[in-house]
Amino acid sequence: CSAGANKPVLTLFTKKPCPLCDEAKEVLEPYKRRFILQEVDITLPENSAWFDKYKYDIPVFHLNGKFLMKHRVNIQKFEDQLRKLELQSD
């Protein structure tokens, strides 16, 4: 199975500390083999555009570059989108 090559990328916009982000990562733990988690620290200077956009909304999730959800993980929505992407890549 060559699924590893085209696994969806889940981008987590975060900052330290972020208890909600930690909570979100725990909720996503059972799915972690199905996606690549990329964390973006919005407090870093190179991420200032994301900081301006999301400073009051983290955690924010993008799936393959598209906005997916914010504040809390919506497992239903996440699973639906993940399944769609997995079907497309087959």
Side-chain angles (χ1 to χ4, degrees):
C1 172
S2 64
N6 47 17
K7 267 191 210 173
V9 175
L10 184 69
T11 308
L12 164 59
F13 294 90
T14 183
K15 65 183 179 189
K16 304 261 183 289
C18 177
L20 280 178
C21 301
D22 298 336
E23 194 180 296
K25 283 191 273 191
E26 278 176 37
V27 173
L28 292 168
E29 185 70 19
Y31 300 91
K32 73 175 187 220
R33 277 190 218 85
R34 292 170 62 192
F35 65 89
I36 296 159
L37 181 66
Q38 179 183 52
E39 291 188 44
V40 174
D41 183 339
I42 64 169
T43 61
L44 297 175
E46 65 267 26
N47 297 327
S48 62
W50 292 117
F51 180 81
D52 293 341
K53 190 169 183 177
Y54 291 144
K55 60 186 166 212
Y56 303 118
D57 288 322
I58 59 165
V60 175
F61 293 92
H62 284 196
L63 190 58
N64 278 2
K66 289 199 190 101
F67 175 82
L68 181 66
M69 54 195 170
K70 64 184 181 182
H71 303 156
R72 300 213 176 275
V73 173
N74 177 336
I75 280 297
Q76 193 59 56
K77 187 175 191 177
F78 176 65
E79 271 192 53
D80 290 347
Q81 293 302 318
L82 199 56
R83 198 170 302 116
K84 259 185 212 152
L85 289 169
E86 286 168 345
L87 290 171
Q88 281 170 13
S89 69
D90 281 348

